[in-house]
Structure formats: structure tokens, C-alpha cells
Amino acid sequence: APILDVRDAGLRYKNGHVVWQGLNVTIHPGEWVAILGPNGAGKSTFLKTVGGLMDPTQGQVLLKGKNLSKYRAPELYDAVGFVFQNPEHQFIADTVYEEVAFGGKVAGWPQEQIERETTQLLTDFRLLDLRDKNPFTLSQGQKRRLSVAGMLLKRQEVLLLDEPTFGQDAATTAELLQRMQERNIAGTTILMATHDVELVAEYASRVLVIGDGTLLFDGTPHDLFQQP
Ligand code: ADP
Ligand code: ADP
């Protein structure tokens, strides 16, 4: 069964701007879907819509067969993780440790589990030495690693990544993608907006191209890059 089903979806902002319409996309568990398209095409808006941050103004989005608008926040946050374009938009805690531990606390995990899994993620993302720092004082690369580490704690079935490697150096980009790939191999579905076609060719199993207010391409990276 599909994990995400976008049916004839359209999104029109309150100011009347129609970002896209007539979007039909069915995504199965374990897919890694890259979303390409020019600036302003509506890639962020698409991720926000399939992540339940915005309701489509036309059509519907189903997550595991259930209309997204019927999900309550805790159930939605258990199923879907979001990494925003700007990592700072995500920070809510006073320390790096608390930032990662937050999801476990809200979910009422036992203290021992929170400590073990938070410490593991801080180690994997080379943030353990910074555990007591305020997230806003970190470098750009550290902030990005923290935003991804914080999202991964809950082991959600779907990860939505908006330009997760934007502004990162090659080493950090490779490291972030390695961590995502581990999750993807374990069955996590990934949707990732990006401008980086090399990254698409290497990691994505499927590409959506959004442009001209609609879905312009839906296929494999191989087919996209073969086009004349
Ligand atoms: P992308 O991620 O592909 O760069 P976005 O989804 O951020 O595109 O934006 C799509 C279009 O919608 C852009 O023209 C943007 O300016 C516009 N837009 C984004 N948010 C809003 C909003 N809250 N109100 C009106 N227009 C918006
Ligand atoms: P993010 O990727 O973290 O959403 P952005 O800088 O793209 O950050 O957008 C910040 C906020 O401004 C978002 O809530 C977005 O919807 C809104 N926004 C973006 N473009 C426009 C626009 N053209 N008109 C009105 N609001 C917009």
C-alpha cells in the first residue's frame, strides 16, 4: 500500500497565487524521492503540504490511507519528520542535547532510552562536545547537523527534507546523506527538495520535477538525465 498519496492536489495562497495544481503522486514505503524545479516552483510548498503543515486548497493528501487533515499533531509527528530549509526555524531548546532529546521527552520515553539514543545521535553527527551549547551559537554546518539529528530521534516512517545540504561543504553533505541512506535502507521513505543533480543521481530512486504550476516529470533519475 502507498505511504503517501497525493490526489489532484492544488495549492493557492491567500493572496491568490496558485503555486501548482493537478498534482497526482503515489509514493510507496522505502522510496527516495528527489524534488527538483526552479526557485519559486513550489518545492517547499509541496513538502509543507505532504507534511501536514499546509492543507491543499484542492484535492487531498493521504498518509497511510488516511486524509492528512484527520491526523492530530502527536500522531503526525510520530509518522513524519521535517527538516526546514533554514535549520534555525526548527530550534526550540536551549542546548544541543535538549534539542535532540526533545522528541523523546514529548513522547514520554523512559529517561534511559532518551539519554542512550540522544547520545548516539550526537556522536554520529559529531556534536557530542557541543552538547551544552545553545543551538543558535553553532556554525552553519553544526546547525544543519543538529537539525537533522533532532529529526532522526523518532525514527519516523517519512522524512521530508527541504534542501538539507544547502550551503554545506562536501564532507558534511556526504555525512548527512550517509545517515539518511542508513534510514532509507532500513525502510524509511524520503522526500528531498534539492538543486543538487549529482546528489539526485547518486541517492534518489525517483525524481519529481515541479514547474509551470504542475508536475512536469515523474520517473527515475536515469530517465530524467537521458532526456535530450
Ligand atoms: P520553491 O521551494 O520551489 O523555491 P516555494 O514553495 O518556496 O518554492 O514557493 C512557491 C511560490 O509560492 C513562490 O512564488 C513563493 O514566493 C510563493 N509563496 C510561498 N509562500 C507564500 C505565502 N505564504 N503566500 C504567498 N505566496 C507564497
Ligand atoms: P522555510 O523554508 O523555512 O519555510 P522561507 O524563507 O522559504 O523559509 O519562508 C519563510 C516563511 O515565509 C514561510 O512561512 C513561507 O510560507 C513564507 N513565504 C515565503 N514566500 C512568501 C511570499 N512570496 N509571500 C508570503 N509569504 C511567503
Side-chain angles (χ1 to χ4, degrees), residues 5-9 21-26 206 208 214-215 218:
D5 202 357
V6 179
R7 295 189 181 166
D8 195 32
Q21 53 193 345
L23 257 56
N24 285 290
V25 184
T26 301
R206 178 172 173 189
L208 308 177
T214 192
L215 187 61
D218 179 359

Side-chain angles (χ1 to χ4, degrees), residues 53-90:
L53 281 81
M54 298 173 81
D55 289 327
T57 47
Q58 178 198 313
Q60 53 186 344
V61 180
L62 307 182
L63 174 66
K64 296 194 280 179
K66 175 170 147 184
N67 197 314
L68 255 192
S69 61
K70 299 221 171 83
Y71 279 78
R72 289 165 179 274
E75 189 191 2
L76 185 60
Y77 298 152
D78 283 349
V80 179
F82 209 112
V83 162
F84 292 88
Q85 219 166 71
N86 177 354
E88 293 183 0
H89 285 183
Q90 222 156 318

